[in-house]
Structure formats: C-alpha cells, structure tokens
Amino acid sequence: MAAKTPHTAWKSLLEGDRDSPNLLGLLAMLLTVVAWAIAANVANRLFLSGVQPFELAGASATIATFGLAILDSLVGRSHAKPIDRPQFTLGLILVGLVGADYLAIQRLPVAVAIVLLFTAPILVVLWTAVTSRCLPARPVLVALILSIVGVLLVSNLLVSHEARVEWLGILVGLTTAVFFAAYIVLSDRVSATQETIGVMLKVFAVASLFWIAYQLTQGIPWTLLARENILKVIYVGIAGNLLPYLLFFWCIQRIQAERAAIAATLEPVVAGVLAWFWFDQTLTGMQIVGGFTIVVAITWMQFQTATPNSLDSQ
C-alpha cells in the first residue's frame, strides 16, 4: 500500500469519512457547542425579562427557517425535493426538543438544564439494551450508574430537605434528553442524503408551522417583540437554532453520530462557565461535581461503545 504524501494525509484529515477522523467535522462540532452554550444563556436572559419559552421556540424556529431558505436559494442543492417521512418526523422531534429545552432553561440554572439534556446518549444505550434484550457491557453499566449519581447531584436531591428542588424543571430537563436522543438517532438515519441545508430547511419548516399554529392560539407576543428583546431573539434564532443545528447535521454526515455526541458533551462545561462568569449564575460545589460526573460518564460510555467490545458487538 502506497504511503500517503503530506498533501493527501492533510486532505484525508480534513475530509475524512464516517469511519476516520475528520478535522473539519470536529471543529464544526466545537463551534456548534459554543453557539448552543451562548444562545442558552441569552435565552435565559430573555426568560428573566418575561419572554415565554414557547414564544421564543416559535420565533427562533421561524427565524431559522427564513435564514435556511435564503441559504438554500444561494448555495443549497435541494432542488425542491419533497419532504419525506423521516424528515417530517425529525421536524416534530425538533419541536419537542427546543420547546422542552427552553422550558428547562427557564426553570433551572443553565448549566443544570444542559447537563440533563446531555444525558441523551445514556438513554440511547438504555433503549438499545431494551430493544435488543441484551444487558449493556460492564463499562457502560458503570457509566450509567455514574450518570444517575450525577443527575442526583446537579438536581440537589441529595442535599438537606430544606433545599428547594425544582421537580418540574428536572422532569422537563430529562424529557429534553429523550427528545435529543431521538433527534440524534433519526438525524443519523436521515444523514445518508447529500443534502444539508435543504434537509434542515424542511425540518425547520415543519417546526415553524407547528409553532405558528400554536402562537395563533396565544395572541401577539408583545414582550418577545419589545425593542430591548428583539435583537436577542434574532440572535437565538440564528446562533441558537440555524447555525448549530445545521452544523450538527453536517457533522453527523461526516463523522459518526457517536463522535459528534462525544464532542457535544463539552457544551455543559462551556455553558456553565459562561453562565458563571458572564451571566452571574452560581452553582453549588455538589452541582459542579455532579455535572462533571455526568460529562465523564457520557464521554467514557461513548468511547466504550465505539470499540469492538461495545454493546452492539456482544
């Protein structure tokens, strides 16, 4: 086998495939993480000013749809292909994902809400174990136990009875993880297409139509449209929806979904740091330990399931 020249080696690293490293894909995933983290903190500010989570979900989806339509008309390759059932389903899952995510961010510290969201890979493994009727490998079971302990810590369930536990927020945060797990699995199936912008345009169009129908029953969202909020809303639509979800799908097309999930586990760390130093949110030492435990557990589990000794190969 001929040795790779420096040029071909660099090209392979940049372009890669779904079974080999892909520098551009991983860098795009890191950009996705940063965009999600900043947008989550901006969304939290909007909620503090009186904006409702579902109002922001609808507005951000609509903004993302218009932005994707512009991109598709300029550089897209969808050629007006009709939407198929998996793409339509992905749009409905996105409705639940973003709506539950914003509701969790409203009720919980940003870092806690995002940590709960990123228990999604654990749920994927549990679902695989149930459907295959096969117990996970021992390292995966250890990761599951660590993640459960982490959730208990970040949710303050192990502190004194005098501490206030936001049960609804925790439940919504875990529900967000269910939607995110479904989104990862279905995105991996949909990613076989060569389209990127066109697919995400259809997905967000479905989500936008749902939220527009919902908003028609609620009236005009005056707080959302206030002059002091409108730029933040546009930012969340572009940097919190259009850009990161487009990049996330693009990454899944180029690197395995498992690798994308590993890189995405950096988001709780980034969001927590931003919330702490930029937006003056505080976490207890126990919550920090719990969040770190969940990130370590998920990352370890992902590396374990990516090896020949993974759950799928047993």
Side-chain angles (χ1 to χ4, degrees), residues 72 77-79 81 87 190-199 202 249 253:
D72 190 57
R77 298 186 299 176
S78 63
H79 304 300
K81 295 179 182 177
Q87 293 169 355
V190 173
S191 65
T193 176
Q194 295 300 311
E195 294 182 57
T196 301
I197 298 175
V199 170
K202 298 165 192 172
F249 186 74
Q253 287 179 311

Side-chain angles (χ1 to χ4, degrees), residues 6-300:
H7 172 72
T8 56
W10 177 247
K11 183 178 180 181
S12 175
L13 180 62
L14 285 176
E15 297 178 355
D17 55 42
R18 288 170 60 84
D19 296 314
S20 62
N22 183 305
L23 182 59
L24 288 180
L26 293 175
L27 288 176
M29 191 67 248
L30 293 178
L31 179 58
T32 300
V33 165
V34 173
W36 263 334
I38 297 176
N41 284 283
V42 173
N44 180 259
R45 285 297 184 184
L46 287 169
F47 300 147
L48 293 176
S49 69
V51 173
Q52 297 302 307
F54 291 166
E55 293 176 351
L56 182 60
S60 60
T62 303
I63 292 169
T65 302
F66 277 106
L68 288 166
I70 294 173
L71 286 176
D72 190 57
S73 66
L74 295 175
V75 297
R77 298 186 299 176
S78 63
H79 304 300
K81 295 179 182 177
I83 188 171
D84 57 31
R85 183 177 298 178
Q87 293 169 355
F88 181 81
T89 304
L90 195 62
L92 294 181
I93 292 174
L94 184 65
V95 170
L97 171 57
V98 176
D101 187 29
Y102 288 168
L103 190 59
I105 290 173
Q106 182 196 44
R107 293 181 170 273
L108 298 169
V110 173
V112 173
I114 294 178
V115 163
L116 293 177
L117 166 66
F118 276 88
T119 59
I122 299 291
L123 299 179
V124 172
V125 170
L126 286 175
W127 174 253
T128 302
V130 171
T131 56
S132 65
R133 298 181 181 180
C134 180
L135 287 176
R138 183 176 299 175
V140 176
L141 287 175
V142 173
L144 289 172
I145 294 172
L146 287 175
S147 67
I148 292 171
V149 172
V151 170
L152 293 176
L153 291 175
V154 300
S155 59
N156 277 329
L157 294 179
L158 299 182
V159 299
S160 66
H161 66 278
E162 297 178 357
R164 180 173 177 268
V165 178
E166 179 55 76
W167 293 102
L168 180 58
I170 295 169
L171 178 61
V172 172
L174 293 175
T175 301
T176 305
V178 174
F179 281 117
F180 191 42
Y183 187 87
I184 292 173
V185 172
L186 190 55
S187 291
D188 195 37
R189 296 176 183 175
V190 173
S191 65
T193 176
Q194 295 300 311
E195 294 182 57
T196 301
I197 298 175
V199 170
M200 294 313 299
L201 172 58
K202 298 165 192 172
V203 169
F204 269 98
V206 172
S208 296
L209 290 175
F210 177 92
W211 286 119
I212 289 172
Y214 168 81
Q215 194 60 52
L216 289 176
T217 68
Q218 304 299 309
I220 300 175
W222 294 113
T223 305
L224 183 82
L225 300 174
R227 184 167 56 183
E228 63 272 18
N229 292 331
I230 194 65
L231 289 180
K232 295 177 183 177
V233 172
I234 294 174
Y235 178 85
V236 172
I238 296 175
N241 285 261
L242 189 160
L243 178 63
Y245 282 102
L246 182 63
L247 286 175
F248 187 75
F249 186 74
W250 186 83
C251 289
I252 289 180
Q253 287 179 311
R254 283 154 182 80
I255 61 178
Q256 292 179 345
E258 292 84 357
R259 292 174 182 168
I262 291 170
T265 53
L266 290 173
E267 187 189 353
V269 179
V270 176
V273 171
L274 289 173
W276 200 339
F277 290 102
W278 190 0
F279 295 95
D280 299 324
Q281 290 191 17
T282 58
L283 298 174
T284 66
M286 186 173 293
Q287 287 178 312
I288 294 173
V289 172
F292 180 77
T293 300
I294 291 175
V295 172
V296 170
I298 293 172
T299 304
W300 184 30

